[in-house]
Amino acid sequence: MARGFIDCHCHMSANEFTQVRKLPKSSTLLCTSYLKDLNDVILRAKKAGVKALVAVTEGAGEFERVIKLSKVYPGFVFPCFGIHPLQGSGQDLHSVKIQIGLDFTPWFAQTTQERDEQIKVFIKQLEISKELDLPVNVHSRSAAKVTITTMKEQGIRQALLHNFAGKPSVAMEGVQAGFCFSFPPAVVRNEQRAKLIKQIPLEHICLETDSPALGLNKDVRNEPQNIMICCEYIAKLKGVSLDRVMEVTTQNAFRLFSKLKV
């Protein structure tokens, strides 16, 4: 088994990771900042010890780009197809594979009808994952209880609940069902999440960055190289070594995503 980190949830097909050339010094543009080339992002991740990225989509429009990335970086970028809960209506689900979930935050789901629509799309994607015998990589916000209950009712066995923010008691229901949980760098600022991480057994925790979002500084683009921040924080909360967290979370990732070959 490869020694290193697995970023189990990042968005490498996001617009923030497009190739943009550096502006010349002679440029008259006021803004001199620019996005680094995606290849530089990948190189920094590898230098930081990342062995694989699970590249998650949010909509069908990103599928082709993720497939291309997996071909450009074989054995490092692994596609994770799916539709974000806020983009589920009206999209073709026949080729959807993994990344799914529910988002019941008030500004997105104000009515029972809106929540029910999300649940329908969620269940449809869960059914597809079972047909293809693939794990699910789940977005859950303000819907932890419903998300875990629905997955259990649908007979899901292999699941990662990314950036999980539910109650510890709800998380333990997921642990009992065999699910895993992951947390991005931004959680180091959240005391509630610290209590949650302390209670979830390390054998049910994976690492993620959720790049380009949820880094330490919300105004700075997050990258997979920041996976060490997650590892250090979990090690501190658990009172174990960095090597122990790296070893166990990587084992968890390989067990969950059986198609990872690095």
mmCIF file of all heavy atoms in Angstrom, residues 101-130:
data_model
loop_
_atom_site.group_PDB
_atom_site.id
_atom_site.type_symbol
_atom_site.label_atom_id
_atom_site.label_comp_id
_atom_site.label_asym_id
_atom_site.label_seq_id
_atom_site.Cartn_x
_atom_site.Cartn_y
_atom_site.Cartn_z
ATOM 1 N N GLY A 101 -26.015 13.864 -2.427
ATOM 2 C CA GLY A 101 -26.311 14.296 -1.063
ATOM 3 C C GLY A 101 -27.551 15.145 -0.935
ATOM 4 O O GLY A 101 -28.389 15.221 -1.834
ATOM 5 N N LEU A 102 -27.648 15.806 0.229
ATOM 6 C CA LEU A 102 -28.783 16.653 0.558
ATOM 7 C C LEU A 102 -28.287 17.960 1.164
ATOM 8 O O LEU A 102 -27.293 17.978 1.895
ATOM 9 C CB LEU A 102 -29.705 15.955 1.572
ATOM 10 C CG LEU A 102 -30.356 14.641 1.133
ATOM 11 C CD1 LEU A 102 -31.078 13.992 2.315
ATOM 12 C CD2 LEU A 102 -31.325 14.881 -0.020
ATOM 13 N N ASP A 103 -28.980 19.043 0.866
ATOM 14 C CA ASP A 103 -28.647 20.337 1.449
ATOM 15 C C ASP A 103 -29.952 21.021 1.851
ATOM 16 O O ASP A 103 -30.690 21.522 1.010
ATOM 17 C CB ASP A 103 -27.885 21.201 0.440
ATOM 18 C CG ASP A 103 -27.214 22.395 1.102
ATOM 19 O OD1 ASP A 103 -27.864 23.024 1.959
ATOM 20 O OD2 ASP A 103 -26.062 22.697 0.770
ATOM 21 N N PHE A 104 -30.231 20.993 3.156
ATOM 22 C CA PHE A 104 -31.490 21.537 3.666
ATOM 23 C C PHE A 104 -31.316 22.902 4.323
ATOM 24 O O PHE A 104 -32.138 23.320 5.147
ATOM 25 C CB PHE A 104 -32.107 20.569 4.685
ATOM 26 C CG PHE A 104 -32.709 19.325 4.056
ATOM 27 C CD1 PHE A 104 -33.232 18.328 4.866
ATOM 28 C CD2 PHE A 104 -32.754 19.150 2.685
ATOM 29 C CE1 PHE A 104 -33.790 17.181 4.317
ATOM 30 C CE2 PHE A 104 -33.303 18.013 2.125
ATOM 31 C CZ PHE A 104 -33.822 17.022 2.941
ATOM 32 N N THR A 105 -30.231 23.610 4.016
ATOM 33 C CA THR A 105 -30.065 24.943 4.569
ATOM 34 C C THR A 105 -31.222 25.812 4.106
ATOM 35 O O THR A 105 -31.702 25.684 2.975
ATOM 36 C CB THR A 105 -28.724 25.553 4.127
ATOM 37 O OG1 THR A 105 -28.522 25.292 2.730
ATOM 38 C CG2 THR A 105 -27.571 24.961 4.911
ATOM 39 N N PRO A 106 -31.708 26.729 4.956
ATOM 40 C CA PRO A 106 -32.931 27.507 4.670
ATOM 41 C C PRO A 106 -32.921 28.247 3.342
ATOM 42 O O PRO A 106 -33.957 28.371 2.694
ATOM 43 C CB PRO A 106 -32.990 28.481 5.854
ATOM 44 C CG PRO A 106 -32.271 27.787 6.951
ATOM 45 C CD PRO A 106 -31.161 27.042 6.281
ATOM 46 N N TRP A 107 -31.765 28.757 2.932
ATOM 47 C CA TRP A 107 -31.736 29.522 1.683
ATOM 48 C C TRP A 107 -31.779 28.648 0.440
ATOM 49 O O TRP A 107 -31.877 29.134 -0.667
ATOM 50 C CB TRP A 107 -30.520 30.444 1.636
ATOM 51 C CG TRP A 107 -29.225 29.811 2.008
ATOM 52 C CD1 TRP A 107 -28.318 29.212 1.187
ATOM 53 C CD2 TRP A 107 -28.682 29.708 3.330
ATOM 54 N NE1 TRP A 107 -27.249 28.748 1.896
ATOM 55 C CE2 TRP A 107 -27.435 29.039 3.217
ATOM 56 C CE3 TRP A 107 -29.121 30.116 4.595
ATOM 57 C CZ2 TRP A 107 -26.632 28.770 4.332
ATOM 58 C CZ3 TRP A 107 -28.322 29.846 5.696
ATOM 59 C CH2 TRP A 107 -27.096 29.178 5.558
ATOM 60 N N PHE A 108 -31.696 27.328 0.629
ATOM 61 C CA PHE A 108 -31.777 26.410 -0.503
ATOM 62 C C PHE A 108 -33.018 25.517 -0.461
ATOM 63 O O PHE A 108 -33.489 25.058 -1.492
ATOM 64 C CB PHE A 108 -30.533 25.525 -0.570
ATOM 65 C CG PHE A 108 -29.289 26.267 -0.956
ATOM 66 C CD1 PHE A 108 -28.151 26.172 -0.176
ATOM 67 C CD2 PHE A 108 -29.251 27.061 -2.084
ATOM 68 C CE1 PHE A 108 -26.997 26.854 -0.522
ATOM 69 C CE2 PHE A 108 -28.101 27.751 -2.439
ATOM 70 C CZ PHE A 108 -26.977 27.643 -1.650
ATOM 71 N N ALA A 109 -33.502 25.227 0.736
ATOM 72 C CA ALA A 109 -34.658 24.335 0.862
ATOM 73 C C ALA A 109 -35.609 24.899 1.908
ATOM 74 O O ALA A 109 -35.567 24.527 3.079
ATOM 75 C CB ALA A 109 -34.211 22.930 1.246
ATOM 76 N N GLN A 110 -36.464 25.797 1.474
ATOM 77 C CA GLN A 110 -37.371 26.471 2.393
ATOM 78 C C GLN A 110 -38.683 25.724 2.584
ATOM 79 O O GLN A 110 -39.383 25.936 3.573
ATOM 80 C CB GLN A 110 -37.656 27.893 1.896
ATOM 81 C CG GLN A 110 -36.421 28.769 1.828
ATOM 82 C CD GLN A 110 -36.758 30.181 1.346
ATOM 83 O OE1 GLN A 110 -37.887 30.483 0.992
ATOM 84 N NE2 GLN A 110 -35.751 31.051 1.345
ATOM 85 N N THR A 111 -39.009 24.843 1.667
ATOM 86 C CA THR A 111 -40.295 24.159 1.726
ATOM 87 C C THR A 111 -40.108 22.648 1.758
ATOM 88 O O THR A 111 -39.058 22.117 1.379
ATOM 89 C CB THR A 111 -41.160 24.514 0.502
ATOM 90 O OG1 THR A 111 -40.549 23.968 -0.679
ATOM 91 C CG2 THR A 111 -41.303 26.014 0.351
ATOM 92 N N THR A 112 -41.152 21.961 2.192
ATOM 93 C CA THR A 112 -41.130 20.502 2.199
ATOM 94 C C THR A 112 -40.988 19.963 0.788
ATOM 95 O O THR A 112 -40.292 18.956 0.559
ATOM 96 C CB THR A 112 -42.432 19.965 2.819
ATOM 97 O OG1 THR A 112 -42.540 20.437 4.168
ATOM 98 C CG2 THR A 112 -42.439 18.444 2.819
ATOM 99 N N GLN A 113 -41.606 20.628 -0.173
ATOM 100 C CA GLN A 113 -41.522 20.193 -1.564
ATOM 101 C C GLN A 113 -40.083 20.232 -2.074
ATOM 102 O O GLN A 113 -39.635 19.313 -2.767
ATOM 103 C CB GLN A 113 -42.397 21.079 -2.449
ATOM 104 C CG GLN A 113 -42.401 20.671 -3.920
ATOM 105 C CD GLN A 113 -43.319 21.552 -4.761
ATOM 106 O OE1 GLN A 113 -44.029 22.400 -4.226
ATOM 107 N NE2 GLN A 113 -43.299 21.350 -6.064
ATOM 108 N N GLU A 114 -39.357 21.286 -1.725
ATOM 109 C CA GLU A 114 -37.968 21.406 -2.157
ATOM 110 C C GLU A 114 -37.104 20.315 -1.527
ATOM 111 O O GLU A 114 -36.226 19.742 -2.179
ATOM 112 C CB GLU A 114 -37.427 22.789 -1.792
ATOM 113 C CG GLU A 114 -38.032 23.911 -2.628
ATOM 114 C CD GLU A 114 -37.631 25.283 -2.142
ATOM 115 O OE1 GLU A 114 -37.463 25.464 -0.919
ATOM 116 O OE2 GLU A 114 -37.475 26.186 -2.989
ATOM 117 N N ARG A 115 -37.354 20.030 -0.265
ATOM 118 C CA ARG A 115 -36.597 18.965 0.394
ATOM 119 C C ARG A 115 -36.940 17.602 -0.201
ATOM 120 O O ARG A 115 -36.058 16.764 -0.411
ATOM 121 C CB ARG A 115 -36.867 18.983 1.903
ATOM 122 C CG ARG A 115 -36.282 20.207 2.611
ATOM 123 C CD ARG A 115 -36.345 20.044 4.116
ATOM 124 N NE ARG A 115 -37.700 20.140 4.625
ATOM 125 C CZ ARG A 115 -38.289 21.282 4.972
ATOM 126 N NH1 ARG A 115 -37.627 22.430 4.872
ATOM 127 N NH2 ARG A 115 -39.522 21.295 5.435
ATOM 128 N N ASP A 116 -38.221 17.387 -0.487
ATOM 129 C CA ASP A 116 -38.646 16.113 -1.077
ATOM 130 C C ASP A 116 -38.024 15.896 -2.450
ATOM 131 O O ASP A 116 -37.676 14.767 -2.818
ATOM 132 C CB ASP A 116 -40.176 16.059 -1.183
ATOM 133 C CG ASP A 116 -40.848 15.895 0.175
ATOM 134 O OD1 ASP A 116 -40.139 15.549 1.144
ATOM 135 O OD2 ASP A 116 -42.069 16.103 0.258
ATOM 136 N N GLU A 117 -37.891 16.979 -3.218
ATOM 137 C CA GLU A 117 -37.286 16.883 -4.547
ATOM 138 C C GLU A 117 -35.822 16.459 -4.425
ATOM 139 O O GLU A 117 -35.337 15.612 -5.195
ATOM 140 C CB GLU A 117 -37.389 18.227 -5.273
ATOM 141 C CG GLU A 117 -36.717 18.259 -6.645
ATOM 142 C CD GLU A 117 -37.324 17.285 -7.628
ATOM 143 O OE1 GLU A 117 -38.526 16.954 -7.484
ATOM 144 O OE2 GLU A 117 -36.607 16.851 -8.550
ATOM 145 N N GLN A 118 -35.130 17.021 -3.467
ATOM 146 C CA GLN A 118 -33.736 16.630 -3.241
ATOM 147 C C GLN A 118 -33.636 15.158 -2.851
ATOM 148 O O GLN A 118 -32.750 14.429 -3.324
ATOM 149 C CB GLN A 118 -33.104 17.485 -2.144
ATOM 150 C CG GLN A 118 -32.741 18.885 -2.565
ATOM 151 C CD GLN A 118 -31.861 19.574 -1.524
ATOM 152 O OE1 GLN A 118 -31.092 18.930 -0.822
ATOM 153 N NE2 GLN A 118 -31.989 20.889 -1.438
ATOM 154 N N ILE A 119 -34.536 14.719 -1.997
ATOM 155 C CA ILE A 119 -34.510 13.326 -1.540
ATOM 156 C C ILE A 119 -34.742 12.373 -2.713
ATOM 157 O O ILE A 119 -34.102 11.316 -2.810
ATOM 158 C CB ILE A 119 -35.559 13.092 -0.431
ATOM 159 C CG1 ILE A 119 -35.160 13.847 0.837
ATOM 160 C CG2 ILE A 119 -35.707 11.606 -0.126
ATOM 161 C CD1 ILE A 119 -36.200 13.806 1.939
ATOM 162 N N LYS A 120 -35.641 12.738 -3.633
ATOM 163 C CA LYS A 120 -35.907 11.902 -4.804
ATOM 164 C C LYS A 120 -34.640 11.739 -5.648
ATOM 165 O O LYS A 120 -34.313 10.638 -6.095
ATOM 166 C CB LYS A 120 -37.032 12.522 -5.652
ATOM 167 C CG LYS A 120 -38.414 12.433 -5.029
ATOM 168 C CD LYS A 120 -39.441 13.092 -5.932
ATOM 169 C CE LYS A 120 -40.830 13.052 -5.303
ATOM 170 N NZ LYS A 120 -41.847 13.731 -6.160
ATOM 171 N N VAL A 121 -33.940 12.855 -5.889
ATOM 172 C CA VAL A 121 -32.709 12.801 -6.679
ATOM 173 C C VAL A 121 -31.646 12.004 -5.928
ATOM 174 O O VAL A 121 -30.909 11.210 -6.524
ATOM 175 C CB VAL A 121 -32.195 14.226 -6.971
ATOM 176 C CG1 VAL A 121 -30.838 14.179 -7.687
ATOM 177 C CG2 VAL A 121 -33.212 14.993 -7.809
ATOM 178 N N PHE A 122 -31.585 12.201 -4.621
ATOM 179 C CA PHE A 122 -30.632 11.489 -3.781
ATOM 180 C C PHE A 122 -30.840 9.974 -3.888
ATOM 181 O O PHE A 122 -29.911 9.207 -4.131
ATOM 182 C CB PHE A 122 -30.806 11.959 -2.332
ATOM 183 C CG PHE A 122 -29.823 11.387 -1.342
ATOM 184 C CD1 PHE A 122 -28.515 11.103 -1.704
ATOM 185 C CD2 PHE A 122 -30.211 11.158 -0.033
ATOM 186 C CE1 PHE A 122 -27.612 10.590 -0.782
ATOM 187 C CE2 PHE A 122 -29.321 10.650 0.892
ATOM 188 C CZ PHE A 122 -28.015 10.362 0.523
ATOM 189 N N ILE A 123 -32.084 9.548 -3.726
ATOM 190 C CA ILE A 123 -32.397 8.120 -3.789
ATOM 191 C C ILE A 123 -32.090 7.549 -5.170
ATOM 192 O O ILE A 123 -31.564 6.433 -5.298
ATOM 193 C CB ILE A 123 -33.879 7.875 -3.419
ATOM 194 C CG1 ILE A 123 -34.100 8.167 -1.930
ATOM 195 C CG2 ILE A 123 -34.288 6.440 -3.747
ATOM 196 C CD1 ILE A 123 -35.545 8.056 -1.484
ATOM 197 N N LYS A 124 -32.379 8.321 -6.223
ATOM 198 C CA LYS A 124 -32.104 7.846 -7.581
ATOM 199 C C LYS A 124 -30.613 7.595 -7.764
ATOM 200 O O LYS A 124 -30.196 6.597 -8.363
ATOM 201 C CB LYS A 124 -32.610 8.859 -8.609
ATOM 202 C CG LYS A 124 -32.469 8.384 -10.046
ATOM 203 C CD LYS A 124 -33.083 9.384 -11.025
ATOM 204 C CE LYS A 124 -34.591 9.472 -10.859
ATOM 205 N NZ LYS A 124 -35.197 10.337 -11.916
ATOM 206 N N GLN A 125 -29.791 8.492 -7.232
ATOM 207 C CA GLN A 125 -28.340 8.318 -7.344
ATOM 208 C C GLN A 125 -27.848 7.166 -6.474
ATOM 209 O O GLN A 125 -26.920 6.441 -6.855
ATOM 210 C CB GLN A 125 -27.627 9.617 -6.987
ATOM 211 C CG GLN A 125 -27.900 10.721 -8.008
ATOM 212 C CD GLN A 125 -27.099 11.970 -7.719
ATOM 213 O OE1 GLN A 125 -25.967 12.111 -8.172
ATOM 214 N NE2 GLN A 125 -27.687 12.882 -6.958
ATOM 215 N N LEU A 126 -28.452 6.983 -5.314
ATOM 216 C CA LEU A 126 -28.094 5.842 -4.466
ATOM 217 C C LEU A 126 -28.387 4.529 -5.186
ATOM 218 O O LEU A 126 -27.613 3.571 -5.113
ATOM 219 C CB LEU A 126 -28.874 5.895 -3.145
ATOM 220 C CG LEU A 126 -28.506 7.007 -2.168
ATOM 221 C CD1 LEU A 126 -29.440 6.969 -0.951
ATOM 222 C CD2 LEU A 126 -27.058 6.894 -1.710
ATOM 223 N N GLU A 127 -29.511 4.489 -5.892
ATOM 224 C CA GLU A 127 -29.876 3.290 -6.651
ATOM 225 C C GLU A 127 -28.847 2.998 -7.743
ATOM 226 O O GLU A 127 -28.479 1.844 -7.973
ATOM 227 C CB GLU A 127 -31.273 3.462 -7.248
ATOM 228 C CG GLU A 127 -32.387 3.466 -6.199
ATOM 229 C CD GLU A 127 -33.741 3.803 -6.794
ATOM 230 O OE1 GLU A 127 -33.772 4.311 -7.944
ATOM 231 O OE2 GLU A 127 -34.759 3.583 -6.105
ATOM 232 N N ILE A 128 -28.390 4.055 -8.401
ATOM 233 C CA ILE A 128 -27.387 3.882 -9.456
ATOM 234 C C ILE A 128 -26.081 3.371 -8.852
ATOM 235 O O ILE A 128 -25.411 2.503 -9.426
ATOM 236 C CB ILE A 128 -27.160 5.206 -10.210
ATOM 237 C CG1 ILE A 128 -28.427 5.584 -10.985
ATOM 238 C CG2 ILE A 128 -25.969 5.095 -11.166
ATOM 239 C CD1 ILE A 128 -28.372 6.956 -11.618
ATOM 240 N N SER A 129 -25.710 3.896 -7.694
ATOM 241 C CA SER A 129 -24.465 3.444 -7.063
ATOM 242 C C SER A 129 -24.533 1.964 -6.715
ATOM 243 O O SER A 129 -23.536 1.241 -6.829
ATOM 244 C CB SER A 129 -24.184 4.266 -5.797
ATOM 245 O OG SER A 129 -25.026 3.892 -4.725
ATOM 246 N N LYS A 130 -25.703 1.501 -6.316
ATOM 247 C CA LYS A 130 -25.858 0.076 -6.005
ATOM 248 C C LYS A 130 -25.775 -0.769 -7.273
ATOM 249 O O LYS A 130 -25.164 -1.840 -7.271
ATOM 250 C CB LYS A 130 -27.186 -0.160 -5.269
ATOM 251 C CG LYS A 130 -27.191 0.364 -3.842
ATOM 252 C CD LYS A 130 -28.431 -0.065 -3.071
ATOM 253 C CE LYS A 130 -29.681 0.566 -3.617
ATOM 254 N NZ LYS A 130 -30.886 0.220 -2.812
#
